[in-house]
Coordinates of all heavy atoms in Angstrom, one line a residue:
N94 N -8.9 -62.3 70.3 CA -9.9 -63.5 70.0 C -10.2 -64.3 71.2 O -11.3 -64.7 71.5 CB -9.3 -64.3 68.9 CG -10.3 -65.4 68.4 OD1 -11.4 -65.0 68.0 ND2 -9.9 -66.6 68.5
A95 N -9.1 -64.5 72.1 CA -9.3 -65.3 73.3 C -10.3 -64.6 74.3 O -11.0 -65.2 75.0 CB -8.0 -65.5 74.0
S96 N -10.2 -63.2 74.3 CA -11.1 -62.5 75.1 C -12.6 -62.5 74.8 O -13.4 -62.0 75.5 CB -10.6 -61.0 75.3 OG -10.9 -60.3 74.2
A97 N -12.9 -63.1 73.5 CA -14.3 -63.0 73.1 C -15.1 -64.2 73.8 O -16.3 -64.2 73.6 CB -14.3 -63.2 71.5
A98 N -14.5 -65.1 74.5 CA -15.1 -66.2 75.1 C -16.0 -65.7 76.2 O -15.8 -64.6 76.8 CB -14.2 -67.3 75.6
H99 N -17.0 -66.5 76.7 CA -17.8 -66.1 77.8 C -17.1 -66.5 79.2 O -16.8 -67.6 79.4 CB -19.2 -66.7 77.7 CG -19.9 -66.3 76.5 ND1 -20.6 -65.1 76.5 CD2 -20.3 -66.9 75.3 CE1 -21.2 -64.9 75.3 NE2 -21.0 -66.1 74.6
F100 N -16.8 -65.5 80.0 CA -16.3 -65.7 81.3 C -17.1 -65.1 82.4 O -17.9 -64.2 82.2 CB -14.9 -65.0 81.4 CG -13.9 -65.5 80.4 CD1 -13.6 -64.7 79.2 CD2 -13.3 -66.7 80.4 CE1 -12.8 -65.1 78.3 CE2 -12.5 -67.2 79.4 CZ -12.1 -66.4 78.3
P101 N -17.0 -65.7 83.6 CA -17.8 -65.1 84.7 C -17.4 -63.7 85.0 O -16.4 -63.2 84.6 CB -17.4 -66.0 85.9 CG -16.9 -67.3 85.3 CD -16.3 -66.9 84.0
A102 N -18.4 -62.9 85.5 CA -18.1 -61.4 85.7 C -17.0 -61.1 86.6 O -16.5 -60.0 86.6 CB -19.5 -60.8 86.3
D103 N -16.6 -62.0 87.5 CA -15.5 -61.8 88.4 C -14.1 -62.1 87.8 O -13.1 -62.1 88.5 CB -15.6 -62.6 89.7 CG -15.7 -64.1 89.6 OD1 -15.8 -64.5 88.4 OD2 -15.8 -64.7 90.6
V104 N -14.1 -62.4 86.6 CA -12.8 -62.8 85.8 C -12.3 -61.6 85.2 O -13.0 -60.8 84.5 CB -13.0 -63.9 84.8 CG1 -11.8 -64.0 83.9 CG2 -13.4 -65.2 85.5
D105 N -10.9 -61.3 85.4 CA -10.3 -60.2 84.8 C -9.6 -60.7 83.5 O -8.6 -61.5 83.5 CB -9.2 -59.6 85.7 CG -8.4 -58.5 85.2 OD1 -8.3 -58.3 84.0 OD2 -7.9 -57.6 86.0
E106 N -10.2 -60.3 82.4 CA -9.7 -60.8 81.0 C -8.3 -60.3 80.7 O -7.6 -60.9 79.9 CB -10.6 -60.3 79.9 CG -11.9 -61.2 79.8 CD -13.0 -60.6 80.7 OE1 -12.7 -59.7 81.5 OE2 -14.1 -61.3 80.7
F107 N -7.8 -59.1 81.3 CA -6.6 -58.7 81.1 C -5.5 -59.8 81.5 O -4.6 -60.1 80.8 CB -6.2 -57.5 81.8 CG -6.7 -56.1 81.3 CD1 -8.0 -55.7 81.5 CD2 -5.9 -55.4 80.5 CE1 -8.5 -54.5 80.9 CE2 -6.3 -54.2 80.0 CZ -7.7 -53.8 80.2
E108 N -5.7 -60.3 82.7 CA -4.9 -61.3 83.3 C -5.1 -62.7 82.4 O -4.1 -63.4 82.1 CB -5.2 -61.7 84.7 CG -4.9 -60.4 85.6 CD -5.2 -60.8 87.1 OE1 -5.6 -62.0 87.3 OE2 -5.1 -59.9 87.9
L109 N -6.3 -62.9 82.1 CA -6.6 -64.3 81.5 C -5.9 -64.4 80.1 O -5.4 -65.5 79.8 CB -8.1 -64.4 81.3 CG -8.6 -65.8 81.1 CD1 -8.4 -66.7 82.2 CD2 -10.1 -65.8 80.7
V110 N -5.9 -63.3 79.3 CA -5.4 -63.4 77.9 C -4.0 -62.9 77.8 O -3.3 -62.9 76.8 CB -6.3 -62.7 76.9 CG1 -7.7 -63.3 76.9 CG2 -6.3 -61.2 77.1
G111 N -3.5 -62.3 78.9 CA -2.1 -62.0 79.1 C -1.6 -60.7 78.4 O -0.6 -60.5 77.8
V112 N -2.6 -59.6 78.6 CA -2.2 -58.3 78.1 C -2.0 -57.4 79.3 O -2.5 -57.7 80.4 CB -3.2 -57.7 77.2 CG1 -3.1 -58.5 75.9 CG2 -4.6 -57.7 77.7
T113 N -1.4 -56.2 79.1 CA -1.0 -55.4 80.2 C -2.0 -54.2 80.4 O -2.2 -53.4 79.5 CB 0.5 -54.8 79.9 OG1 1.3 -55.8 79.6 CG2 0.9 -54.1 81.1
P114 N -2.6 -54.1 81.6 CA -3.4 -53.0 81.9 C -2.6 -51.8 82.3 O -1.7 -51.8 83.1 CB -4.3 -53.5 83.1 CG -3.4 -54.4 83.8 CD -2.5 -55.1 82.7
I115 N -3.0 -50.6 81.8 CA -2.3 -49.3 82.1 C -3.4 -48.3 82.3 O -4.5 -48.4 81.8 CB -1.3 -48.9 81.0 CG1 -2.0 -48.7 79.7 CG2 -0.1 -49.7 81.0 CD1 -1.1 -48.0 78.5
S116 N -3.1 -47.4 83.3 CA -4.1 -46.4 83.6 C -4.5 -45.5 82.6 O -3.7 -45.1 81.7 CB -3.6 -45.6 84.8 OG -3.4 -46.5 86.0
S117 N -5.8 -45.1 82.5 CA -6.2 -44.1 81.6 C -6.0 -42.7 82.4 O -5.7 -42.6 83.6 CB -7.7 -44.3 81.3 OG -7.8 -45.4 80.6
I118 N -6.3 -41.7 81.6 CA -6.1 -40.3 82.1 C -7.4 -39.6 82.7 O -7.4 -39.1 83.8 CB -5.5 -39.3 81.1 CG1 -4.0 -39.9 80.7 CG2 -5.5 -37.9 81.5 CD1 -3.4 -39.0 79.6
K119 N -8.5 -39.9 81.8 CA -9.8 -39.3 82.2 C -10.9 -40.2 82.6 O -11.9 -39.7 83.0 CB -10.2 -38.4 81.1 CG -9.4 -37.2 80.8 CD -10.0 -36.2 79.7 CE -9.2 -35.0 79.6 NZ -9.8 -34.0 78.6
V120 N -10.7 -41.5 82.5 CA -11.6 -42.5 82.8 C -11.1 -43.5 83.6 O -9.8 -43.7 83.6 CB -12.4 -43.1 81.5 CG1 -13.1 -42.0 80.7 CG2 -11.4 -43.9 80.7
K121 N -11.9 -44.3 84.4 CA -11.4 -45.3 85.3 C -11.0 -46.7 84.5 O -10.1 -47.3 85.0 CB -12.5 -45.6 86.3 CG -12.7 -44.5 87.4 CD -13.7 -44.9 88.4 CE -13.8 -43.8 89.4 NZ -14.9 -44.0 90.4
P122 N -11.7 -47.1 83.5 CA -11.3 -48.3 82.8 C -9.8 -48.3 82.4 O -9.3 -47.2 81.9 CB -12.3 -48.5 81.7 CG -13.4 -47.8 82.0 CD -13.0 -46.5 82.9
M123 N -9.1 -49.4 82.6 CA -7.7 -49.6 82.1 C -7.7 -49.6 80.6 O -8.6 -50.0 80.0 CB -7.1 -50.7 82.7 CG -7.2 -50.8 84.2 SD -6.3 -49.5 85.1 CE -4.7 -50.2 85.1
R124 N -6.4 -49.3 80.1 CA -6.1 -49.4 78.6 C -5.3 -50.6 78.5 O -4.6 -51.0 79.3 CB -5.4 -48.1 78.2 CG -6.2 -46.9 78.2 CD -5.4 -45.7 77.7 NE -4.4 -45.3 78.7 CZ -3.2 -44.9 78.4 NH1 -2.7 -45.0 77.1 NH2 -2.4 -44.4 79.3
V125 N -5.3 -51.1 77.2 CA -4.4 -52.3 76.8 C -3.1 -51.7 76.3 O -3.1 -51.0 75.4 CB -5.1 -53.1 75.7 CG1 -4.1 -54.3 75.4 CG2 -6.3 -53.7 76.3
A126 N -2.0 -51.9 77.1 CA -0.7 -51.4 76.7 C -0.3 -51.8 75.3 O 0.4 -51.0 74.6 CB 0.3 -51.7 77.7
E127 N -0.6 -53.0 74.9 CA -0.1 -53.5 73.7 C -0.8 -53.0 72.5 O -0.5 -53.2 71.4 CB -0.3 -55.1 73.7 CG 0.7 -55.8 74.6 CD 0.2 -55.7 76.1 OE1 -0.8 -55.2 76.5 OE2 1.0 -56.3 77.0
S128 N -2.0 -52.3 72.7 CA -2.7 -51.6 71.6 C -2.0 -50.4 71.3 O -1.8 -49.5 72.2 CB -4.2 -51.5 71.9 OG -4.8 -50.7 71.1
P129 N -1.7 -50.0 70.0 CA -1.1 -48.8 69.7 C -1.9 -47.5 69.7 O -1.4 -46.4 69.7 CB -0.5 -49.1 68.3 CG -1.5 -50.0 67.7 CD -1.9 -50.9 68.8
I130 N -3.3 -47.7 69.7 CA -4.2 -46.7 69.8 C -5.3 -46.9 70.7 O -6.0 -48.0 70.6 CB -4.8 -46.4 68.3 CG1 -3.6 -46.0 67.4 CG2 -5.9 -45.2 68.5 CD1 -4.2 -45.8 65.9
Q131 N -5.6 -46.0 71.6 CA -6.6 -46.3 72.6 C -7.5 -44.9 72.7 O -7.0 -43.8 72.6 CB -6.2 -46.6 74.0 CG -5.1 -47.7 74.0 CD -3.8 -47.3 74.5 OE1 -3.5 -46.1 75.0 NE2 -2.8 -48.1 74.4
L132 N -8.8 -45.1 72.8 CA -9.7 -44.0 72.9 C -10.5 -44.1 74.2 O -11.2 -45.0 74.5 CB -10.8 -44.0 71.7 CG -10.2 -44.2 70.4 CD1 -11.4 -44.3 69.3 CD2 -9.3 -43.0 70.0
E133 N -10.3 -43.1 75.1 CA -11.0 -43.1 76.4 C -12.3 -42.4 76.1 O -12.4 -41.3 75.4 CB -10.1 -42.2 77.4 CG -8.9 -42.7 77.8 CD -8.2 -41.9 78.8 OE1 -8.9 -41.2 79.6 OE2 -7.0 -42.0 79.0
C134 N -13.4 -43.0 76.6 CA -14.7 -42.5 76.2 C -15.7 -42.4 77.5 O -15.6 -43.3 78.4 CB -15.5 -43.5 75.2 SG -14.5 -43.8 73.7
E135 N -16.6 -41.5 77.4 CA -17.6 -41.3 78.4 C -19.0 -41.5 77.7 O -19.2 -41.0 76.6 CB -17.6 -39.9 79.0 CG -16.3 -39.7 79.9 CD -16.3 -38.4 80.5 OE1 -17.2 -37.4 80.2 OE2 -15.5 -38.1 81.4

Side-chain angles (χ1 to χ4, degrees):
N94 187 57
S96 71
H99 296 286
F100 301 106
D103 60 352
V104 170
D105 184 332
E106 283 87 358
F107 280 86
E108 294 182 6
L109 195 68
V110 303
V112 292
T113 310
I115 55 175
S116 297
S117 298
I118 294 177
K119 292 189 175 182
V120 299
K121 290 183 179 179
M123 306 295 277
R124 295 179 285 138
V125 176
E127 290 79 4
S128 172
I130 299 177
Q131 308 118 8
L132 309 175
E133 298 184 25
C134 302
E135 293 182 349

